Amino acid sequence: MPLTAVDNPLTLRLLGLLVEQPMHQYALAVALNERYPYLHAKSGSVYTLVRSMAVAGWVAPTGVEQMGNRPSRTVYALTDQGWDIFKERVRRQIREAKVTTSAFVDAMAYLGALDRAEAPQLLRGRQESLEERIAELEQASDPGLPEITMIEVDFVLYQLRAEAEWIHALIARIDLGELAWPAKGQT
């Protein structure tokens, strides 16, 4: 797994936690593992990524926290550049993440960081991409072959159709104002 902030899939999750509130590296590691227990993220990886994000200018120290006899810990917060990077990653992953990866799910966790008017536009773009892929796979299917020989295509089509249907319903909920939207700066 890459340990630079630019390439690591944990980066979006860490930035998202820092959108919620400034934290020190250990608190980030704990929060990451509480929210995403299936990741089994190592503290060392979190520390390395936070250092990389600080070097990149995405986060900056805001102070030092010390509790009891524990060592002092530097608290980090998102910079303006970090906020911009965070929102751009959410946008990119909504548009481009492959269906069977967690990247789209990660981006959806922070959909509320985007403007309420922008979210449906991005989702419509993704829905159009899904519909194009569905059409391609449907055309590529050979009705003369036994279903079992192309069962994986049927599985992928099922996933694509389900995601497209869910996105369609989500767009409608956003457009109708049924989905509560956080105030700016909150997710």
Side-chain angles (χ1 to χ4, degrees):
M1 179 173 290
L3 291 179
T4 63
V6 176
D7 301 326
N8 196 296
L10 292 179
T11 301
L12 181 67
R13 293 174 175 122
L14 291 173
L15 291 172
L17 290 170
L18 289 172
V19 164
E20 295 172 15
Q21 68 181 32
M23 289 187 230
H24 54 75
Q25 293 160 310
Y26 180 75
L28 277 167
V30 169
L32 188 68
N33 282 307
E34 285 176 354
R35 186 146 323 156
Y36 307 102
Y38 54 89
L39 292 176
H40 308 290
K42 306 281 187 246
S43 294
S45 295
V46 171
Y47 281 66
T48 301
L49 282 171
V50 170
R51 282 192 299 273
S52 294
M53 290 189 297
V55 168
W58 301 353
V59 301
T62 60
V64 176
E65 181 180 287
Q66 183 157 10
M67 295 179 67
N69 292 337
R70 295 181 180 165
S72 60
R73 295 180 170 142
T74 303
V75 175
Y76 290 87
L78 220 53
T79 63
D80 289 341
Q81 181 185 5
W83 176 243
D84 291 342
I85 293 291
F86 170 74
K87 290 191 299 183
E88 184 50 40
R89 282 181 177 235
V90 170
R91 289 181 186 108
R92 186 179 71 232
Q93 286 182 210
I94 287 172
R95 283 191 309 264
E96 301 170 7
K98 293 186 178 13
V99 174
T100 57
T101 66
S102 67
F104 178 68
V105 175
D106 291 348
M108 289 304 297
Y110 302 109
L111 183 66
L114 304 177
D115 290 334
R116 182 184 203 104
E118 180 184 15
Q121 293 172 340
L122 285 170
L123 291 167
R124 282 185 187 95
R126 181 165 181 92
Q127 185 176 18
E128 288 170 11
S129 295
L130 289 168
E131 290 168 358
E132 288 170 10
R133 183 71 177 130
I134 290 167
E136 289 170 7
L137 287 173
E138 287 174 340
Q139 283 183 329
S141 297
D142 184 348
L145 290 175
E147 182 182 0
I148 195 66
T149 62
M150 298 290 285
I151 199 72
E152 75 283 3
V153 174
D154 187 50
F155 175 71
V156 171
L157 277 168
Y158 183 85
Q159 287 182 310
L160 293 170
R161 288 178 185 132
E163 183 179 328
E165 183 179 320
W166 184 82
I167 288 173
H168 179 75
L170 178 60
I171 292 167
R173 290 182 64 208
I174 295 169
D175 287 345
L176 293 171
E178 293 177 0
L179 190 63
W181 215 259
K184 286 199 183 263
Q186 298 177 329
T187 53

